[in-house]
Amino acid sequence: MSTNLLLIPGDGVGPEILAQAELVLDELCNLTDLEVICEHADMGGAAYDKTGHSLPQSTVSLAKDCDAVLFGACGGPKWDSLPRANRPETALLRLRRELDLFANLRPAILFDCLASSSSLKDNIVAGLDILIIRELTGGIYFGEPRGVETLDSGKQRGVNTLVYHEDEITRIAHVAFKIARQRDNRVCSIDKANVLETTEFWRQVVTSVGETHYPDVELSHMLVDNAAMQLVREPKQFDVIVTTNMFGDILSDISAMLTGSIGMLPSASLDLNQKGLFEPVHGTAPDIAGQNKVNPLAMILSLAMLLRYTLKQDDLADSVEQAVERVIEKGIRTPDIYFEGALLVGTDQMGSEVVNELRNLLN
Ligand code: IPM
Ligand code: MG
């Protein structure tokens, strides 16, 4: 049976990296019995320029109908001054909501040979393997009321609302505990329970889900400011982290940098059926867009997550990850992970090297 994928290149470096992931996908189809039908759609600034909408309805419909979405990145200075509703970032947030992609998985895994690319000392990060699970469709990102209003006094005020329903916390907690069971069996839930009632409630709900359904999984809690510090002090103390939308946004950028380059990190955003959208953690990098400089590995590793989570093809996911690892072990590097003596390559060559290694592995 063939799988329907929707490919959304987006803006900035998005098209360049997605093109490399497509080559990897083509090769997987050549080498194995994987059958994939791909459609393409626009979103973000690219869509706005063509249609006047950053998230065209046709893209939403295609995304709802397909098995999974592979997405590059969206946004850029060109569209920053548009009304918020038309901005590329709003398109991504809307698509996450439309598809109910509440569970965002952001692994931070350090490939051994990249330990020296981290800004932290080798011994602090060597062997790092943590997974941040970020609630993605609730919290302050979506809470109402929101906006900037003018008061009777003539002064303005800005309002955003941090709101979580019990069910939203329960379902993300289940995801975290289940995944922890397949790993080191530890969940750390991160909140600001000492100040914010909503996150004190978050802590209570996560605790109750753990006690009721996963007594075998070790659960701890940490305040977000301490967690930010612990992530750079002793990151290997964590296994699975589960946290709110905004805390997850911030902490996942920190954990990305632990691994040496944000250009290496994939992510999965899943619904209840593990259908989802797969994208690199990094953004559109407008400063290097179109220059064949961007690292396509985060995008290729996002394809591996798609194979693992939506298609349940663990073997193929392993092969893609191994191919990536072999390439970087050979010292082949894009500028973001370059060191003296390595072989500096462009985006397209990095992609071809992964395809070659895949051939070696699967033939
Ligand atoms: C991310 C990004 C997005 C977010 C932006 C682009 C809306 O930073 O996926 O982490 O804040 O969720
Ligand atoms: Mg972010």
Side-chain angles (χ1 to χ4, degrees), residues 16 18 26 41 55 70 81 135 143 154 164 170 192 200 245 299 321:
E16 291 167 82
L18 190 62
D26 287 348
L55 182 61
L70 204 52
S81 50
E135 199 294 322
Y164 267 112
T170 305
K192 188 72 186 171
E200 189 178 13
N245 202 341
M299 184 81 247
E321 287 165 1

Side-chain angles (χ1 to χ4, degrees), residues 237-257:
Q237 70 185 281
F238 297 106
D239 178 27
V240 172
I241 285 176
V242 64
T243 191
T244 63
N245 202 341
M246 189 161 78
F247 294 162
D249 179 45
I250 299 165
L251 296 178
S252 62
D253 267 26
I254 299 182
S255 64
M257 203 54 223

Side-chain angles (χ1 to χ4, degrees), residues 71 74-75 88-93 96 104 106 134 136 141 245-246 248-250 252-253 267 269 279-283:
F71 168 58
C74 72
E89 291 80 2
T90 307
L92 178 58
L93 296 175
R96 288 172 178 169
N104 183 217
R106 297 191 165 183
R134 166 186 176 195
L136 200 62
Y141 269 55
N245 202 341
M246 189 161 78
D249 179 45
I250 299 165
S252 62
D253 267 26
S267 79
S269 305
E279 57 174 320
V281 169
H282 66 74

Side-chain angles (χ1 to χ4, degrees), residues 268-286:
S269 305
L270 305 175
D271 70 7
L272 269 177
N273 303 313
Q274 306 228 313
K275 244 186 85 167
L277 178 141
F278 299 81
E279 57 174 320
V281 169
H282 66 74
T284 53

Side-chain angles (χ1 to χ4, degrees), residues 6-58:
L6 181 65
L7 308 183
I8 307 182
D11 308 318
V13 297
E16 291 167 82
I17 53 175
L18 190 62
Q20 298 310 314
E22 278 190 75
L23 293 177
V24 172
L25 188 59
D26 287 348
E27 196 60 31
L28 280 175
C29 292
N30 289 339
L31 294 169
T32 70
D33 50 15
L34 180 71
E35 279 178 38
V36 172
I37 299 171
C38 292
E39 296 234 38
H40 289 80
D42 285 317
M43 179 165 98
Y48 179 81
D49 289 348
K50 280 191 203 162
T51 67
H53 300 281
S54 58
L55 182 61
Q57 193 48 44
S58 55

Side-chain angles (χ1 to χ4, degrees), residues 113-117 327-344:
C113 56
L114 286 184
S116 60
S117 304
V327 169
I328 52 175
E329 270 169 3
K330 280 161 74 181
I332 298 172
R333 298 296 152 94
T334 41
D336 55 312
I337 49 175
Y338 179 75
F339 64 92
E340 229 181 271
L343 176 65
L344 184 64

